[in-house]
Amino acid sequence: MQSLRSFTQLIKQQPVRHAFAAARFFSSPIDKLREPVIGLIAASVRKGSFNEKLVLAAGKVAESKGAKTKVIRLEGEHDLPIFSQDTEAAGFPEAAKKLKEAMAGCDAWIVAGPEYNGFATPLFVNSVAWASRGDPKGEMYTTFKAKTAAIISTSPGGLGGMRGLGSYKELLQNLGVTCLPLSVAVGASFKAFKEDGSLEPGQPATMLDTVITQLYEKARDEANRSVTCSIIGSIKKAQTVGEYGAIPGQKPDGTA
């Protein structure tokens, strides 16, 4: 039987995977463990956008892992003017407040965007600029705190928007976001999707599953960080079996 000491080490190495077992073992609040919420952001809002199609396909993959998803569209209620301090000084836009709330309400994001001349879309850059503002006095980048993102792209060309992936990552990393090293660029977008919106079988679909699995596990860990720490604390405080089965504090006759 695995000792509590080795079980503690196991929890430390793979915290959330074993947190449910630990919660049952120590009667910890298992009901507080939850699945992560992953925001789906398309950096293009044109009608029939391939990248919007891709982010929705990625969202289905995330849901198959157990995650909850939330579509965050960069238009409509989140339609914003071009950022400037003069515009900001005239009054922080309600759309920016809603965008910040929507993004902050997620544990992680999947961002799918085309490349414009090798860079992220102006729409995405402007939306992030607004989301990085309007924080409480003395704080910065609260919307981006403890967030993880997967960056993916697609285009009709053979490179699939690959040239722009780094710019999306750099922009978000400058705000404190952890971007997964692995990305996905899907070429020939006009024939990359099945009728149900998922990717056709092949290497891009396999890579997308790999990336989203990594994002899901990272987001799940972050979503349950405080509960996992509580469980580990309970394990550390628990009475453990000593040498040759002796329990610390127990008398030779077996009494406490």
Side-chain angles (χ1 to χ4, degrees):
M1 182 176 179
Q2 194 174 43
S3 70
L4 291 177
R5 187 172 301 168
S6 62
F7 190 57
T8 302
Q9 193 63 32
L10 190 63
I11 291 290
K12 288 180 179 178
Q13 293 170 353
Q14 300 175 324
V16 176
R17 181 174 299 178
H18 301 286
F20 285 91
R24 292 190 184 98
F25 191 82
F26 288 97
S27 299
S28 295
I30 192 172
D31 57 310
K32 292 185 179 180
L33 290 168
R34 65 177 178 84
E35 292 291 357
V37 177
I38 297 179
L40 310 179
I41 304 174
S44 170
V45 294
R46 74 168 181 82
K47 187 176 181 180
S49 168
F50 288 123
N51 279 279
E52 183 172 41
K53 206 169 183 178
L54 180 61
V55 82
L56 293 176
K60 292 297 183 184
V61 176
E63 289 172 1
S64 73
K65 310 296 178 185
K68 297 179 181 179
T69 61
K70 178 170 65 175
V71 177
I72 302 174
R73 293 186 61 82
L74 303 182
E75 62 175 358
E77 65 175 349
H78 301 143
D79 192 15
L80 290 159
I82 294 176
F83 177 80
S84 77
Q85 288 186 310
D86 289 340
T87 304
E88 182 183 35
F92 199 73
E94 189 63 29
K97 295 177 184 177
K98 291 181 178 180
L99 177 61
K100 285 174 68 69
E101 290 173 2
M103 293 179 70
C106 300
D107 300 296
W109 308 309
I110 303 172
V111 177
E115 56 99 352
Y116 281 21
N117 303 316
F119 203 74
T121 64
L123 171 68
F124 185 76
V125 173
N126 188 60
S127 297
V128 168
W130 277 110
S132 69
R133 307 290 289 187
D135 293 326
K137 187 175 181 180
E139 297 184 32
M140 290 180 65
Y141 309 149
T142 56
T143 304
F144 305 86
K145 185 177 181 181
K147 296 294 189 289
T148 303
I151 311 300
I152 57 179
S153 68
T154 185
S155 76
L159 293 179
M162 184 183 298
R163 292 195 310 160
L165 292 173
S167 63
Y168 286 95
K169 291 182 180 181
E170 183 178 5
L171 177 59
L172 291 174
Q173 287 170 340
N174 285 341
L175 300 172
V177 177
T178 299
C179 292
L180 297 183
L182 188 62
S183 298
V184 182
V186 182
S189 52
F190 53 88
K191 60 178 182 179
F193 299 91
K194 297 193 292 186
E195 288 188 8
D196 64 0
S198 61
L199 285 177
E200 291 283 357
Q203 186 178 11
T206 300
M207 289 186 64
L208 183 65
D209 186 84
T210 298
V211 169
I212 300 307
T213 298
Q214 290 180 2
L215 181 70
Y216 166 71
E217 292 177 349
K218 181 74 169 62
R220 183 185 59 184
D221 286 354
E222 189 60 45
N224 294 287
R225 180 181 293 275
S226 60
V227 180
T228 303
C229 289
S230 176
I231 292 171
I232 292 175
S234 298
I235 294 172
K236 287 182 176 180
K237 294 176 182 178
Q239 194 174 45
T240 59
V241 177
E243 189 175 8
Y244 301 118
I247 298 177
Q250 189 180 65
K251 297 178 181 179
D253 61 1
T255 60

